[in-house]
Amino acid sequence: TDLANVIEPNTRKKLEALCAEVQQKTRAQIAVVTVRSLGGRSRDGFATALFNDLGIGSKNDSRGVLLMVAPSERQYRIEVGYGLEPVITNARSADIVREMVPDLQRGNYSAAVLLGVSHIAEFIAADSKVKLSSAL
């Protein structure tokens, strides 16, 4: 969901295909949300509430990941459901975000988000021992 209108249409299609394939092959859900504002809330609090409100990942196994970006506030966060915490660890999340930062700083949100989701998808696929045809 691109509420901040910063993701290019071609990138959106790639993201949708990759996320759908991950869900089909691994039962894990990846959601991407860009927002105009955090509404005065902390980045972490906003992302956690958004993750819970959207119900990312099934209630049975909580295999969901949210990549949230608030471009106007220069905030971003990867929120991981309990079922994927062993796969997308805090260290891995930090590494992914570090790789995204140069594109985020240049305002190339499409490239940053695509890079982040690609890495998240690769970790989930490797853990589930599946190959992704949509991998970038």
PDB file of all heavy atoms in Angstrom, residues 3 6 12 27-28 33 38 43 45-46 49-50 54-55 58 75-76 78 82 84 103 107 115-116 127 133:
ATOM      1  N   LEU A   3       0.643   4.745   0.344  1.00  0.00           N
ATOM      2  CA  LEU A   3      -0.098   5.942   0.727  1.00  0.00           C
ATOM      3  C   LEU A   3       0.701   7.219   0.501  1.00  0.00           C
ATOM      4  O   LEU A   3       0.123   8.294   0.364  1.00  0.00           O
ATOM      5  CB  LEU A   3      -0.536   5.838   2.185  1.00  0.00           C
ATOM      6  CG  LEU A   3      -1.432   4.637   2.512  1.00  0.00           C
ATOM      7  CD1 LEU A   3      -1.685   4.561   4.015  1.00  0.00           C
ATOM      8  CD2 LEU A   3      -2.730   4.685   1.737  1.00  0.00           C
ATOM      9  N   VAL A   6       5.118   7.009  -3.528  1.00  0.00           N
ATOM     10  CA  VAL A   6       6.543   7.087  -3.848  1.00  0.00           C
ATOM     11  C   VAL A   6       7.064   5.844  -4.584  1.00  0.00           C
ATOM     12  O   VAL A   6       8.235   5.790  -4.938  1.00  0.00           O
ATOM     13  CB  VAL A   6       7.395   7.327  -2.580  1.00  0.00           C
ATOM     14  CG1 VAL A   6       7.098   8.697  -1.980  1.00  0.00           C
ATOM     15  CG2 VAL A   6       7.173   6.223  -1.552  1.00  0.00           C
ATOM     16  N   ARG A  12       5.942  -1.576  -8.227  1.00  0.00           N
ATOM     17  CA  ARG A  12       4.780  -2.114  -7.509  1.00  0.00           C
ATOM     18  C   ARG A  12       4.436  -3.505  -8.043  1.00  0.00           C
ATOM     19  O   ARG A  12       4.199  -4.425  -7.271  1.00  0.00           O
ATOM     20  CB  ARG A  12       3.583  -1.190  -7.661  1.00  0.00           C
ATOM     21  CG  ARG A  12       2.303  -1.765  -7.046  1.00  0.00           C
ATOM     22  CD  ARG A  12       1.132  -0.874  -7.340  1.00  0.00           C
ATOM     23  NE  ARG A  12       1.206   0.295  -6.516  1.00  0.00           N
ATOM     24  CZ  ARG A  12       0.288   0.609  -5.614  1.00  0.00           C
ATOM     25  NH1 ARG A  12      -0.756  -0.160  -5.440  1.00  0.00           N
ATOM     26  NH2 ARG A  12       0.406   1.684  -4.891  1.00  0.00           N
ATOM     27  N   ARG A  27       3.989 -19.720   2.861  1.00  0.00           N
ATOM     28  CA  ARG A  27       2.918 -19.326   3.773  1.00  0.00           C
ATOM     29  C   ARG A  27       3.289 -18.093   4.612  1.00  0.00           C
ATOM     30  O   ARG A  27       2.616 -17.792   5.599  1.00  0.00           O
ATOM     31  CB  ARG A  27       2.497 -20.487   4.675  1.00  0.00           C
ATOM     32  CG  ARG A  27       1.843 -21.621   3.939  1.00  0.00           C
ATOM     33  CD  ARG A  27       1.306 -22.727   4.843  1.00  0.00           C
ATOM     34  NE  ARG A  27       1.265 -22.438   6.244  1.00  0.00           N
ATOM     35  CZ  ARG A  27       2.045 -23.045   7.161  1.00  0.00           C
ATOM     36  NH1 ARG A  27       2.906 -23.962   6.812  1.00  0.00           N
ATOM     37  NH2 ARG A  27       1.937 -22.732   8.436  1.00  0.00           N
ATOM     38  N   ALA A  28       4.343 -17.400   4.244  1.00  0.00           N
ATOM     39  CA  ALA A  28       4.717 -16.169   4.942  1.00  0.00           C
ATOM     40  C   ALA A  28       4.198 -14.974   4.134  1.00  0.00           C
ATOM     41  O   ALA A  28       4.133 -15.024   2.912  1.00  0.00           O
ATOM     42  CB  ALA A  28       6.232 -16.074   5.091  1.00  0.00           C
ATOM     43  N   VAL A  33       4.214  -0.895   3.251  1.00  0.00           N
ATOM     44  CA  VAL A  33       3.328   0.248   3.414  1.00  0.00           C
ATOM     45  C   VAL A  33       4.174   1.510   3.483  1.00  0.00           C
ATOM     46  O   VAL A  33       5.114   1.581   4.293  1.00  0.00           O
ATOM     47  CB  VAL A  33       2.463   0.126   4.692  1.00  0.00           C
ATOM     48  CG1 VAL A  33       1.567   1.347   4.854  1.00  0.00           C
ATOM     49  CG2 VAL A  33       1.631  -1.146   4.664  1.00  0.00           C
ATOM     50  N   LEU A  38       3.623   9.714  10.369  1.00  0.00           N
ATOM     51  CA  LEU A  38       3.452   8.811  11.508  1.00  0.00           C
ATOM     52  C   LEU A  38       2.456   9.379  12.521  1.00  0.00           C
ATOM     53  O   LEU A  38       2.192   8.762  13.552  1.00  0.00           O
ATOM     54  CB  LEU A  38       4.797   8.560  12.196  1.00  0.00           C
ATOM     55  CG  LEU A  38       5.883   7.912  11.340  1.00  0.00           C
ATOM     56  CD1 LEU A  38       7.174   7.772  12.135  1.00  0.00           C
ATOM     57  CD2 LEU A  38       5.429   6.585  10.792  1.00  0.00           C
ATOM     58  N   ARG A  43       8.242   5.719  15.459  1.00  0.00           N
ATOM     59  CA  ARG A  43       8.383   4.804  14.326  1.00  0.00           C
ATOM     60  C   ARG A  43       8.041   3.383  14.746  1.00  0.00           C
ATOM     61  O   ARG A  43       7.282   2.682  14.073  1.00  0.00           O
ATOM     62  CB  ARG A  43       9.810   4.887  13.793  1.00  0.00           C
ATOM     63  CG  ARG A  43      10.165   3.807  12.801  1.00  0.00           C
ATOM     64  CD  ARG A  43      11.619   3.813  12.476  1.00  0.00           C
ATOM     65  NE  ARG A  43      12.377   3.474  13.685  1.00  0.00           N
ATOM     66  CZ  ARG A  43      13.671   3.646  13.811  1.00  0.00           C
ATOM     67  NH1 ARG A  43      14.371   4.156  12.829  1.00  0.00           N
ATOM     68  NH2 ARG A  43      14.301   3.314  14.924  1.00  0.00           N
ATOM     69  N   GLY A  45       6.357   2.259  17.450  1.00  0.00           N
ATOM     70  CA  GLY A  45       4.962   2.130  17.866  1.00  0.00           C
ATOM     71  C   GLY A  45       4.010   2.134  16.686  1.00  0.00           C
ATOM     72  O   GLY A  45       3.052   1.355  16.637  1.00  0.00           O
ATOM     73  N   PHE A  46       4.273   3.014  15.718  1.00  0.00           N
ATOM     74  CA  PHE A  46       3.427   3.085  14.526  1.00  0.00           C
ATOM     75  C   PHE A  46       3.499   1.784  13.736  1.00  0.00           C
ATOM     76  O   PHE A  46       2.479   1.225  13.334  1.00  0.00           O
ATOM     77  CB  PHE A  46       3.868   4.265  13.648  1.00  0.00           C
ATOM     78  CG  PHE A  46       2.937   4.539  12.503  1.00  0.00           C
ATOM     79  CD1 PHE A  46       1.900   5.441  12.646  1.00  0.00           C
ATOM     80  CD2 PHE A  46       3.100   3.897  11.287  1.00  0.00           C
ATOM     81  CE1 PHE A  46       1.033   5.699  11.581  1.00  0.00           C
ATOM     82  CE2 PHE A  46       2.249   4.139  10.222  1.00  0.00           C
ATOM     83  CZ  PHE A  46       1.208   5.047  10.382  1.00  0.00           C
ATOM     84  N   ALA A  49       1.723  -1.133  15.563  1.00  0.00           N
ATOM     85  CA  ALA A  49       0.263  -0.992  15.474  1.00  0.00           C
ATOM     86  C   ALA A  49      -0.222  -1.309  14.058  1.00  0.00           C
ATOM     87  O   ALA A  49      -1.232  -1.996  13.879  1.00  0.00           O
ATOM     88  CB  ALA A  49      -0.154   0.417  15.882  1.00  0.00           C
ATOM     89  N   LEU A  50       0.504  -0.835  13.058  1.00  0.00           N
ATOM     90  CA  LEU A  50       0.134  -1.099  11.668  1.00  0.00           C
ATOM     91  C   LEU A  50       0.209  -2.592  11.367  1.00  0.00           C
ATOM     92  O   LEU A  50      -0.690  -3.166  10.745  1.00  0.00           O
ATOM     93  CB  LEU A  50       1.058  -0.311  10.729  1.00  0.00           C
ATOM     94  CG  LEU A  50       0.757  -0.376   9.242  1.00  0.00           C
ATOM     95  CD1 LEU A  50      -0.646   0.135   8.941  1.00  0.00           C
ATOM     96  CD2 LEU A  50       1.794   0.450   8.480  1.00  0.00           C
ATOM     97  N   LEU A  54      -3.173  -4.631  10.360  1.00  0.00           N
ATOM     98  CA  LEU A  54      -3.279  -5.283   9.052  1.00  0.00           C
ATOM     99  C   LEU A  54      -3.374  -6.803   9.176  1.00  0.00           C
ATOM    100  O   LEU A  54      -3.761  -7.481   8.230  1.00  0.00           O
ATOM    101  CB  LEU A  54      -2.085  -4.910   8.166  1.00  0.00           C
ATOM    102  CG  LEU A  54      -2.001  -3.447   7.741  1.00  0.00           C
ATOM    103  CD1 LEU A  54      -0.722  -3.189   6.973  1.00  0.00           C
ATOM    104  CD2 LEU A  54      -3.217  -3.059   6.910  1.00  0.00           C
ATOM    105  N   GLY A  55      -2.990  -7.330  10.315  1.00  0.00           N
ATOM    106  CA  GLY A  55      -3.050  -8.780  10.509  1.00  0.00           C
ATOM    107  C   GLY A  55      -2.109  -9.524   9.572  1.00  0.00           C
ATOM    108  O   GLY A  55      -2.479 -10.534   8.974  1.00  0.00           O
ATOM    109  N   SER A  58      -0.548 -15.280   9.378  1.00  0.00           N
ATOM    110  CA  SER A  58      -1.708 -15.924   9.993  1.00  0.00           C
ATOM    111  C   SER A  58      -1.589 -15.898  11.512  1.00  0.00           C
ATOM    112  O   SER A  58      -0.491 -15.843  12.067  1.00  0.00           O
ATOM    113  CB  SER A  58      -1.836 -17.366   9.499  1.00  0.00           C
ATOM    114  OG  SER A  58      -0.875 -18.184  10.127  1.00  0.00           O
ATOM    115  N   GLN A  75      11.684   8.094   8.091  1.00  0.00           N
ATOM    116  CA  GLN A  75      11.586   6.983   9.031  1.00  0.00           C
ATOM    117  C   GLN A  75      11.270   5.701   8.262  1.00  0.00           C
ATOM    118  O   GLN A  75      10.544   5.737   7.270  1.00  0.00           O
ATOM    119  CB  GLN A  75      10.496   7.234  10.067  1.00  0.00           C
ATOM    120  CG  GLN A  75      10.751   8.432  10.961  1.00  0.00           C
ATOM    121  CD  GLN A  75      11.928   8.214  11.883  1.00  0.00           C
ATOM    122  OE1 GLN A  75      12.104   7.149  12.457  1.00  0.00           O
ATOM    123  NE2 GLN A  75      12.748   9.243  12.035  1.00  0.00           N
ATOM    124  N   TYR A  76      11.780   4.602   8.742  1.00  0.00           N
ATOM    125  CA  TYR A  76      11.538   3.303   8.124  1.00  0.00           C
ATOM    126  C   TYR A  76      11.720   2.245   9.192  1.00  0.00           C
ATOM    127  O   TYR A  76      12.421   2.447  10.180  1.00  0.00           O
ATOM    128  CB  TYR A  76      12.496   3.050   6.951  1.00  0.00           C
ATOM    129  CG  TYR A  76      13.895   3.556   7.212  1.00  0.00           C
ATOM    130  CD1 TYR A  76      14.815   2.773   7.901  1.00  0.00           C
ATOM    131  CD2 TYR A  76      14.268   4.832   6.816  1.00  0.00           C
ATOM    132  CE1 TYR A  76      16.083   3.249   8.175  1.00  0.00           C
ATOM    133  CE2 TYR A  76      15.546   5.316   7.092  1.00  0.00           C
ATOM    134  CZ  TYR A  76      16.442   4.520   7.765  1.00  0.00           C
ATOM    135  OH  TYR A  76      17.693   4.998   8.051  1.00  0.00           O
ATOM    136  N   ILE A  78      11.363  -2.321   9.796  1.00  0.00           N
ATOM    137  CA  ILE A  78      10.976  -3.678   9.451  1.00  0.00           C
ATOM    138  C   ILE A  78      10.408  -4.299  10.723  1.00  0.00           C
ATOM    139  O   ILE A  78      11.102  -4.394  11.732  1.00  0.00           O
ATOM    140  CB  ILE A  78      12.176  -4.499   8.926  1.00  0.00           C
ATOM    141  CG1 ILE A  78      12.694  -3.905   7.621  1.00  0.00           C
ATOM    142  CG2 ILE A  78      11.763  -5.967   8.730  1.00  0.00           C
ATOM    143  CD1 ILE A  78      13.964  -4.562   7.097  1.00  0.00           C
ATOM    144  N   TYR A  82       6.292 -13.060  15.190  1.00  0.00           N
ATOM    145  CA  TYR A  82       7.007 -14.028  16.024  1.00  0.00           C
ATOM    146  C   TYR A  82       7.471 -15.250  15.239  1.00  0.00           C
ATOM    147  O   TYR A  82       8.550 -15.778  15.484  1.00  0.00           O
ATOM    148  CB  TYR A  82       6.126 -14.486  17.194  1.00  0.00           C
ATOM    149  CG  TYR A  82       5.830 -13.386  18.176  1.00  0.00           C
ATOM    150  CD1 TYR A  82       4.517 -12.980  18.402  1.00  0.00           C
ATOM    151  CD2 TYR A  82       6.843 -12.760  18.879  1.00  0.00           C
ATOM    152  CE1 TYR A  82       4.239 -11.962  19.301  1.00  0.00           C
ATOM    153  CE2 TYR A  82       6.570 -11.747  19.771  1.00  0.00           C
ATOM    154  CZ  TYR A  82       5.263 -11.350  19.983  1.00  0.00           C
ATOM    155  OH  TYR A  82       4.990 -10.345  20.862  1.00  0.00           O
ATOM    156  N   LEU A  84       8.547 -15.514  12.306  1.00  0.00           N
ATOM    157  CA  LEU A  84       9.698 -15.271  11.424  1.00  0.00           C
ATOM    158  C   LEU A  84      10.890 -14.652  12.145  1.00  0.00           C
ATOM    159  O   LEU A  84      11.910 -14.374  11.519  1.00  0.00           O
ATOM    160  CB  LEU A  84       9.295 -14.386  10.232  1.00  0.00           C
ATOM    161  CG  LEU A  84       8.436 -15.066   9.176  1.00  0.00           C
ATOM    162  CD1 LEU A  84       8.002 -14.062   8.117  1.00  0.00           C
ATOM    163  CD2 LEU A  84       9.177 -16.230   8.536  1.00  0.00           C
ATOM    164  N   ASP A 103      19.692   4.507  -1.110  1.00  0.00           N
ATOM    165  CA  ASP A 103      18.560   4.810  -1.998  1.00  0.00           C
ATOM    166  C   ASP A 103      17.532   5.675  -1.298  1.00  0.00           C
ATOM    167  O   ASP A 103      16.961   6.588  -1.910  1.00  0.00           O
ATOM    168  CB  ASP A 103      17.900   3.510  -2.497  1.00  0.00           C
ATOM    169  CG  ASP A 103      18.735   2.807  -3.551  1.00  0.00           C
ATOM    170  OD1 ASP A 103      19.345   3.486  -4.402  1.00  0.00           O
ATOM    171  OD2 ASP A 103      18.772   1.560  -3.528  1.00  0.00           O
ATOM    172  N   GLY A 107      16.192   9.566  -2.230  1.00  0.00           N
ATOM    173  CA  GLY A 107      14.782   9.691  -2.559  1.00  0.00           C
ATOM    174  C   GLY A 107      14.306   8.653  -3.553  1.00  0.00           C
ATOM    175  O   GLY A 107      13.218   8.787  -4.114  1.00  0.00           O
ATOM    176  N   LEU A 115      14.814  -3.452  -2.941  1.00  0.00           N
ATOM    177  CA  LEU A 115      15.989  -4.089  -2.356  1.00  0.00           C
ATOM    178  C   LEU A 115      15.643  -4.742  -1.012  1.00  0.00           C
ATOM    179  O   LEU A 115      15.985  -5.894  -0.760  1.00  0.00           O
ATOM    180  CB  LEU A 115      17.103  -3.056  -2.164  1.00  0.00           C
ATOM    181  CG  LEU A 115      18.384  -3.552  -1.492  1.00  0.00           C
ATOM    182  CD1 LEU A 115      19.116  -4.522  -2.419  1.00  0.00           C
ATOM    183  CD2 LEU A 115      19.275  -2.366  -1.146  1.00  0.00           C
ATOM    184  N   GLY A 116      14.954  -4.007  -0.164  1.00  0.00           N
ATOM    185  CA  GLY A 116      14.590  -4.535   1.144  1.00  0.00           C
ATOM    186  C   GLY A 116      13.699  -5.761   1.051  1.00  0.00           C
ATOM    187  O   GLY A 116      13.957  -6.778   1.704  1.00  0.00           O
ATOM    188  N   ASP A 127      15.036 -20.228   4.257  1.00  0.00           N
ATOM    189  CA  ASP A 127      14.603 -20.942   5.451  1.00  0.00           C
ATOM    190  C   ASP A 127      13.587 -22.037   5.108  1.00  0.00           C
ATOM    191  O   ASP A 127      13.585 -23.093   5.722  1.00  0.00           O
ATOM    192  CB  ASP A 127      13.986 -19.967   6.458  1.00  0.00           C
ATOM    193  CG  ASP A 127      13.505 -20.656   7.704  1.00  0.00           C
ATOM    194  OD1 ASP A 127      14.354 -21.163   8.468  1.00  0.00           O
ATOM    195  OD2 ASP A 127      12.269 -20.708   7.912  1.00  0.00           O
ATOM    196  N   SER A 133      11.043 -17.703  -8.285  1.00  0.00           N
ATOM    197  CA  SER A 133      11.238 -17.315  -9.684  1.00  0.00           C
ATOM    198  C   SER A 133      11.163 -15.802  -9.838  1.00  0.00           C
ATOM    199  O   SER A 133      11.688 -15.232 -10.779  1.00  0.00           O
ATOM    200  CB  SER A 133      10.223 -17.993 -10.598  1.00  0.00           C
ATOM    201  OG  SER A 133       8.914 -17.626 -10.220  1.00  0.00           O
TER     202      SER A 133
END
